[in-house]
Amino acid sequence: MPLVLLFSTAELLLPVPRVGDPFDSRPILVDALKSPGPTAMTGGLTYLQLWYYAPPALKPRLVYVADPSSARRLTGSDTIDLGLLALSRWTTVGAVPFEAFTSQHRTFRVYAYGSGWLLDKLRESGAELEERDAEASARLFVVRLGSTE
C-alpha cells in the first residue's frame, strides 16, 4: 500500500517558527572571542552549533581541540573528535589536534559548555585553570600551560 501524506492547505501556509540564534545568548563567549588569541570549547556538538552561528570575524578564534585517544579514554567515545577533525579538512571548522594546539598556545581560554574531556586532560597535563566567568550552563577559564623546557 503506498504511503499517503495528507496536509491541509492551511498547514502548508503556516509560518515556520524561527529558531533563535544561540550565539545571542552567550555574551561572555562573544567577549572572549573579541579578545586576542583563541578560545577553545568543550562539547563538540555545542561547538559546531555555536561556530556555525558565530559572526564571520569571530569564527577563526573559536576552536575545538580534538584528541580522539583522550576522548575515548575519558568519555568512552571518540566519534565527535574524529568527525570534527575530518570535517576540518574540508571546511573552515576550527578543529585542531590537542598536541599541535597546546604546543602553539601556552595561554588560552576554554569555554566549557557541553560535555567533553578537555578540562580533565588539561588538569592531567598540569595546566593551571582559572575560572573567569560563567553564564547559562557554561564557564569561561583562562588556561596556562607549564613551560616546555
Side-chain angles (χ1 to χ4, degrees):
M1 173 182 278
L3 178 63
V4 177
L5 299 175
L6 300 175
F7 293 100
S8 72
T9 305
E11 288 174 315
L12 292 174
L13 297 176
L14 289 174
V16 176
R18 180 165 159 70
V19 177
D21 180 340
F23 210 78
D24 289 342
S25 63
R26 302 278 161 198
I28 290 170
L29 176 59
V30 172
D31 287 345
L33 293 174
K34 289 180 179 176
S35 301
T39 299
M41 196 173 144
T42 64
L45 295 179
T46 52
Y47 163 79
L48 194 55
Q49 180 188 39
L50 289 173
W51 175 86
Y52 178 83
Y53 283 98
L58 300 180
K59 277 186 189 204
R61 291 191 177 157
L62 183 60
V63 299
Y64 182 80
V65 179
D67 185 352
S69 65
S70 292
R72 190 172 42 259
R73 181 174 59 83
L74 294 166
T75 69
S77 175
D78 60 7
T79 304
I80 291 173
D81 283 42
L82 288 170
L84 288 174
L85 285 171
L87 189 59
S88 72
R89 290 192 292 270
W90 297 296
T91 69
T92 58
V93 166
V96 295
F98 180 85
E99 294 300 328
F101 181 81
T102 56
S103 67
Q104 186 176 9
H105 302 284
R106 305 306 292 170
T107 300
F108 54 93
R109 292 171 300 278
V110 171
Y111 188 74
Y113 179 48
S115 62
W117 54 268
L118 181 58
L119 294 177
D120 292 333
K121 170 84 174 187
L122 289 168
R123 287 183 185 106
E124 285 177 0
S125 63
E128 175 190 335
L129 281 74
E130 176 188 346
E131 187 170 342
R132 284 284 174 93
D133 219 333
E135 66 187 0
S137 303
R139 296 177 296 157
L140 180 69
F141 294 89
V142 171
V143 178
R144 291 176 191 85
L145 299 173
S147 70
T148 59
E149 299 174 43

